[in-house]
Amino acid sequence: MNQFMQIAIEEALTGIQQKDGGPFGAVVVLDGKVIGRGHNRVLSKHDPTCHGEMEAIRDACKHLGSHDLSACTLYTTAEPCPMCLGAIMWANIQKVYYGCNVKDTDAIGFRDDRFYAHLNGTASVLSLEELERQACLRVFDTYKKDESNQRY
């Protein structure tokens, strides 16, 4: 078994034993070393963003002192949900290995299909409406004018 996937599995099992959340564990690897690890903590932190991948990314960023994980690889026990995919992309991670797929996740009661349906336009699960665009554009302009801001 791949050593990094084994660590991700151990993270998931820790989360299950501690009743932190679902069976999802992840690790971020750089140059053959684990620099970030996490498991689902949605229940224990009362925070829907505390998926295993998100926790591992946060841990890796803290460890490196950077938001850029472009040289890293992520190992996770399940195919990342849309939120986690977004975080993976924002962190510039280029390679992800996952264990279980979306159908496996659905089979144990997780509803990722709902999010994919919304994203591909086959269902609407929330209402999005533009409001006060001009006022918000002024905030953007303030940011853009300050050259000390890092662009991401």
Side-chain angles (χ1 to χ4, degrees):
M1 171 174 288
N2 178 280
Q3 65 177 333
F4 301 120
M5 186 59 81
Q6 181 60 45
I7 297 168
I9 290 168
E10 290 166 7
E11 275 292 324
L13 291 171
T14 296
I16 292 169
Q17 292 165 354
Q18 294 176 356
K19 306 283 190 227
D20 286 337
F24 308 107
V27 295
V28 176
V29 176
L30 175 64
D31 296 329
K33 295 180 183 155
V34 174
I35 61 158
R37 59 176 60 217
H39 60 266
N40 187 292
R41 288 186 171 95
V42 168
L43 299 178
S44 62
K45 289 188 174 181
H46 307 290
D47 182 342
T49 69
C50 290
H51 290 195
E53 297 92 337
M54 302 291 281
E55 295 286 285
I57 288 169
R58 289 177 183 129
D59 191 37
C61 289
K62 182 178 176 184
H63 178 87
L64 288 181
S66 175
H67 58 275
D68 185 3
L69 303 178
S70 57
C72 299
T73 302
L74 186 129
Y75 295 78
T76 180
T77 56
E79 188 171 351
C81 73
M83 176 184 67
C84 292
L85 280 174
I88 289 163
M89 292 170 69
W90 278 114
N92 299 313
I93 296 171
Q94 300 295 309
K95 183 68 178 180
V96 176
Y97 293 99
Y98 64 88
C100 297
N101 62 40
V102 173
K103 290 180 183 179
D104 300 324
T105 304
D106 183 60
I108 62 168
F110 289 86
R111 56 194 178 156
D112 291 5
D113 59 329
R114 175 179 164 212
F115 299 96
Y116 290 110
H118 181 82
L119 292 172
N120 72 23
T122 59
S124 181
V125 297
L126 67 112
S127 172
L128 295 170
E129 183 177 339
E130 189 175 281
L131 179 67
E132 302 293 350
R133 180 170 180 257
Q134 292 305 313
C136 294
L137 281 173
R138 286 191 293 276
V139 174
F140 278 31
D141 190 49
T142 299
Y143 176 82
K144 193 167 100 177
K145 286 178 182 174
D146 184 345
E147 298 202 12
S148 69
N149 289 318
Q150 290 184 6
R151 302 293 189 254
Y152 197 165

